[in-house]
Amino acid sequence: MTTLVSASDTLTRDALTVLQPGFVGTTAPDWLLRRIGEGLSSVGLFGRNIASPEQLAALTARLRAERDDVLVAIDEEGGDVTRLEVRHGSSFPGNYALGSVDDVDLTRAVAEELGRRLAACGVDLNWAPSADVNSNPDNPVIGVRSFGPGTDLVARHTVAYVEGLQAVGVAACTKHFPGHGDTNVDSHHALPRIDVDLDTLHARELVPFRAAIAAGSKAVMSAHILLPALDPDRPATLSPRILTGLLRQELGFDGLIVTDGMEMQAIASTYGIERGSVLAIAAGADAICVGGGLADEDTVLRLRDALVDAVRTGELPEERLADAAARVRALASWTQAHRARGAGSGPGAAVQEGTAPGTEIGLVAARRALTLTTGERPHTPMTGAPYVAAFTPVANIAVGDETPWGVAAELERLLPGTETGAYDEPAVDAVLAAAGERRIVAVVRDAHRHPWMTEALDALLAARPDTVVVEMGLNRAEPRGALHIATHGAARVCGRAAAEAIAGI
């Protein structure tokens, strides 16, 4: 018996196929399973969806019970941006730490092991790595998520990261095209603008993306940024000149183009998510990422219907929607083939020669990323429990404020009795009172961007010159303190490496 599928059914299915929505909870809601059965081909996971590797594996298995080729995506950069270990902090240092070591074999090994863990949990599309050249040190949203400020450095480590992830069957999604590194506005809150000329864009921003494309990155994520040299009217996510003209035609990218989160204010407050999604697909995007904030069935249906209506009114060519859906299905077929071969199973990635047996590659990398600078007064390893003063900035939305960071927990493990206090102002008198006679460890994050942190360190070091300073963001300020430790990121494993240095282990 032949089943006839109407053109209307095909259109609706294609509209569902190009969506990558999120949901709330650690089990799949009925509405999500129902929409997967109707054609939804991708699901995005966030920290709220993950309690443990076992739970995550059960969740992805349930999704694939409805459709075995569903794409399960996640924003797992490692380092400061982790969803897999959102409650405890990442076992892997982030891009800035890897870039500071500048060993592409190490970067590839870290990405491979991270990919292996994702694959073991049933995740097969990672919205990473960040290929942004962090040319603006005051950038509020990229920072340590970048491999660094050097174009060639970022390019070679982006390639290594893509190769590592995809070696174990997890598709890489290189972001944020055409480069978010020179912004001073967070696109979660408003629309950033980069006013540089075409020559600069080609010589700086685009170089890592060219390299990632040549390395076979399966996906690229667009940025919600305005680049007048490329398109003075529309942000990259909505620009045919940028997504089709530049990325597809000039750079020759033939994989999946994914948007950044459409509920981010750079799009939502200027175009709205429905119109923004239509314009994005028309511009050349293939998949609409939504669900970091809006994570319900109503959002999925609104976006589906907006795409269908746009086709019926002639605003969105039906062939463009069909092409986008076909690219989603093609990537799903690639990841499905890797799962069938068991590409993500097997032992963990081998660490480099000379590493102690059983040492995790993430800890190896975090230790190598440390930069230690001693002051005029020699530092003696701590044997007694210190007081940790954590000077805490407001976290950007990509990082989130639910993931713990710092060195206190790891110092408590090594030096029982360690206490800590969190400060969001230069409350030095309070720190001194809480510390008493104990030595102080002052922990900061991007101190160069927060004058109040610099003020706090100045006053603290004047009163207690034996203070140890730990910078867990960009290492821009002059080293100071009896011992200055730059971790190049705030992942849990970076805190462990710093704690070992403080205790002289």
Side-chain angles (χ1 to χ4, degrees):
M1 179 178 176
T2 302
T3 300
L4 298 179
V5 179
S6 70
S8 177
D9 289 342
T10 299
L11 177 58
T12 300
R13 181 172 288 271
D14 284 348
L16 277 174
T17 296
V18 302
L19 302 180
Q20 290 189 351
F23 62 95
V24 176
T26 55
T27 58
D30 290 342
W31 70 261
L32 182 65
L33 298 174
R34 184 168 63 252
R35 299 305 171 188
I36 290 173
E38 294 173 1
L40 185 68
S41 295
S42 306
V43 175
L45 299 179
F46 298 86
R48 62 178 180 246
N49 304 124
I50 300 169
S52 68
E54 295 76 18
Q55 168 269 327
L56 179 55
L59 170 59
T60 58
R62 180 67 186 91
L63 296 174
R64 293 202 169 94
E66 294 295 323
R67 179 176 183 153
D68 60 3
D69 65 344
V70 68
L71 275 171
V72 180
I74 198 169
D75 190 7
E76 181 58 55
E77 299 177 14
D80 291 29
V81 180
T82 180
R83 313 305 180 212
L84 199 61
E85 299 181 272
V86 67
R87 290 168 177 78
H88 305 290
S90 181
S91 300
F92 302 92
N95 286 1
Y96 185 50
L98 296 171
S100 72
V101 177
D102 195 14
D103 178 343
V104 291
D105 291 333
L106 179 66
T107 295
R108 188 179 297 107
V110 167
E112 184 174 338
E113 178 58 20
L114 177 58
R116 183 176 282 105
R117 295 188 190 186
L118 290 173
C121 295
V123 177
D124 49 19
L125 171 60
N126 191 9
W127 294 321
S130 168
D132 306 297
V133 179
N134 198 56
S135 54
N136 184 349
D138 293 326
N139 193 315
V141 67
I142 301 300
V144 297
R145 300 168 66 197
S146 166
F147 289 109
T151 298
D152 291 340
L153 178 143
V154 172
R156 61 179 171 265
H157 286 277
T158 296
V159 167
Y161 209 100
V162 167
E163 291 173 345
L165 280 177
Q166 294 186 172
V168 291
V170 175
C173 183
T174 306
K175 63 187 183 185
H176 305 81
F177 185 83
H180 210 312
D182 194 20
T183 60
N184 56 13
V185 172
D186 185 343
S187 51
H188 291 90
H189 301 300
L191 179 62
R193 177 186 177 109
I194 298 181
D195 287 304
V196 298
D197 57 31
L198 277 176
D199 288 343
T200 301
L201 288 170
H202 280 275
R204 188 178 66 186
E205 270 75 17
L206 295 180
V207 171
F209 290 97
R210 289 183 185 273
I213 291 167
S217 182
K218 292 296 179 181
V220 167
M221 177 176 281
S222 67
H224 304 329
I225 55 176
L226 189 68
L227 299 101
L230 295 172
D231 188 332
D233 301 315
R234 289 187 178 177
T237 295
L238 312 183
S239 172
R241 298 183 195 178
I242 294 175
L243 297 190
T244 298
L246 178 59
L247 182 54
R248 284 275 186 238
Q249 296 171 358
E250 184 175 341
L251 301 188
F253 179 63
D254 194 41
L256 188 76
I257 300 177
V258 184
T259 72
D260 208 343
M262 295 301 287
E263 66 267 58
M264 294 165 63
Q265 291 305 302
I267 298 297
S269 66
T270 52
Y271 295 87
I273 65 167
E274 292 95 336
R275 177 153 180 76
S277 296
V278 169
L279 292 175
I281 296 296
D286 306 305
I288 300 296
C289 175
V290 67
L294 299 172
D296 54 29
E297 183 177 22
D298 179 64
T299 299
V300 172
L301 296 181
R302 283 163 50 203
L303 296 183
R304 179 201 66 183
D305 293 347
L307 292 168
V308 169
D309 290 346
V311 170
R312 289 175 174 163
T313 61
E315 183 180 10
L316 174 63
E318 186 170 2
E319 314 82 67
R320 171 76 275 272
L321 180 62
D323 174 64
R327 291 181 189 277
V328 174
R329 295 180 188 118
L331 181 57
S333 295
W334 181 85
T335 58
Q336 185 182 30
H338 274 269
R339 284 198 308 277
R341 292 198 297 269
S345 61
V351 299
Q352 293 181 315
E353 184 178 356
T355 300
T359 304
E360 293 185 358
I361 189 66
L363 182 56
V364 172
R367 287 169 175 163
R368 290 184 63 187
L370 290 185
T371 299
L372 308 179
T373 307
T374 54
E376 294 180 2
R377 176 179 299 189
H379 168 72
T380 55
M382 293 187 186
T383 55
Y387 181 77
V388 178
F391 295 105
T392 306
V394 176
N396 72 59
I397 292 177
V399 174
D401 58 9
E402 69 269 44
T403 303
W405 68 283
V407 301
E410 295 298 333
L411 276 174
E412 167 64 25
R413 182 176 61 83
L414 298 176
L415 302 172
T418 295
E419 295 183 8
T420 187
Y423 303 89
D424 58 8
E425 59 181 6
V428 174
D429 288 343
V431 173
L432 294 173
E437 298 300 315
R438 290 174 291 181
R439 288 188 67 185
I440 297 172
V441 177
V443 184
V444 294
R445 198 171 183 176
D446 290 340
H448 72 283
R449 291 183 51 235
H450 303 285
W452 68 268
M453 286 188 196
T454 301
E455 180 185 342
L457 289 179
D458 287 343
L460 191 56
L461 289 168
R464 296 285 295 271
D466 63 344
T467 294
V468 172
V469 177
V470 182
E471 170 61 82
M472 304 194 79
L474 291 185
N475 188 32
R476 297 283 301 181
E478 285 295 319
R480 48 191 170 159
L483 175 66
H484 184 279
I485 303 175
T487 61
H488 303 96
R492 173 177 55 83
V493 71
C494 296
R496 177 176 173 182
E500 292 174 347
I502 292 168
I505 294 176

